[in-house]
Amino acid sequence: MIRIVIVALLFSFLSAKEARLDSYMKFVKVVNIIEKYYVEPLDTNQIVEKLLKGGIAQLDAHSSFLDKKGYKDLQVTTNGEFGGLGIVVGMRKGVLTVISPIDDTPAYKAGVKANDIILKIDGKATIDMTLDEAVNLMRGKPGTKITLTLVRDGKPVVVHITRAMIKVKSVKAYDFKDYPNIKYIRISSFDKNVVTSLKKVISTMRGK
């Protein structure tokens, strides 16, 4: 009986290993086919990076593959300061959508609103554009101009914005007029300063 169990476990292990090897071989075959027959010349590294970006993005709305530039851009965001418009964006049902404008930024002052669909960035359609690609297009040197074509309530809205240095105030506190004993704290982004800022806000609320 023990011998049968061991044999069964060994067979299961080998089957899983073979299945994994088959999956790896499938990936390699796809890379080889693209490298040989794709309409434009691409090296192996370019193909693998494109497949990784597309494949990982299919996992969920929060997963993405970062190359060196993408990782550098992420570090800029988490520092809480960058050149751009001042909007939080995301993909909703495959459509580039404004989650919220950041208070007192160029996008906020230009009238960009939550739930606006970003149809074009400087005339370039966002269909099939990744979130990282869209963010990179919207960021840039302070003082440079950009045009967004939005869809709001089914109607196109064209907005002209001048980029600025965005210093994200990640934590803000609000009072409820009708309920003076209740405070509302809003965290708009999780950058490296958010913990310190939150502690300061709580301390101020307590009158310390």
Side-chain angles (χ1 to χ4, degrees), residues 174-183:
Y174 301 89
D175 293 324
F176 286 100
K177 293 181 180 179
D178 298 331
Y179 304 94
N181 295 325
I182 298 177
K183 306 290 184 180

Side-chain angles (χ1 to χ4, degrees), residues 15 37 41 50 60 64 68 95 97 106 126 130 144 158 185 202:
S15 297
Y37 296 107
K50 288 178 182 296
D60 56 65
S64 61
K68 288 182 180 179
V95 178
T97 306
T126 60
T130 67
T144 57
V158 178
I185 297 176
I202 293 174

Side-chain angles (χ1 to χ4, degrees), residues 58-198:
Q58 290 296 315
L59 293 176
D60 56 65
H62 310 287
S63 298
S64 61
F65 172 79
L66 298 179
D67 54 17
K68 288 182 180 179
K69 184 179 183 303
Y71 179 66
K72 186 177 179 180
D73 291 339
L74 178 64
Q75 288 182 310
V76 170
T77 301
T78 55
N79 281 336
E81 184 176 300
F82 55 89
L85 311 181
I87 51 176
V88 179
V89 296
M91 288 294 185
R92 289 182 176 172
K93 297 181 180 179
V95 178
L96 185 64
T97 306
V98 176
I99 305 302
S100 67
I102 300 171
D103 294 345
D104 303 322
T105 62
Y108 179 88
K109 293 173 182 177
V112 177
K113 300 182 181 297
N115 299 317
D116 282 349
I117 294 172
I118 302 177
L119 190 64
K120 294 180 181 180
I121 302 172
D122 275 340
K124 187 174 182 179
T126 60
I127 297 173
D128 296 328
M129 188 181 291
T130 67
L131 184 59
D132 289 338
E133 288 171 342
V135 170
N136 287 334
L137 281 176
M138 289 187 285
R139 284 190 185 151
K141 187 177 179 180
T144 57
K145 299 183 183 297
I146 186 173
T147 299
L148 299 183
T149 303
L150 311 172
V151 176
R152 183 183 301 157
D153 299 325
K155 298 179 181 179
V157 178
V158 178
V159 180
H160 303 285
I161 307 173
T162 300
R163 295 182 180 91
M165 183 58 70
I166 307 300
K167 295 182 179 180
V168 180
K169 296 178 182 178
S170 54
V171 181
K172 281 195 172 185
Y174 301 89
D175 293 324
F176 286 100
K177 293 181 180 179
D178 298 331
Y179 304 94
N181 295 325
I182 298 177
K183 306 290 184 180
Y184 166 56
I185 297 176
R186 180 190 177 200
I187 298 177
S188 58
S189 68
F190 288 89
D191 55 53
K192 70 176 184 179
N193 302 315
V194 68
V195 174
T196 302
S197 299
L198 182 59

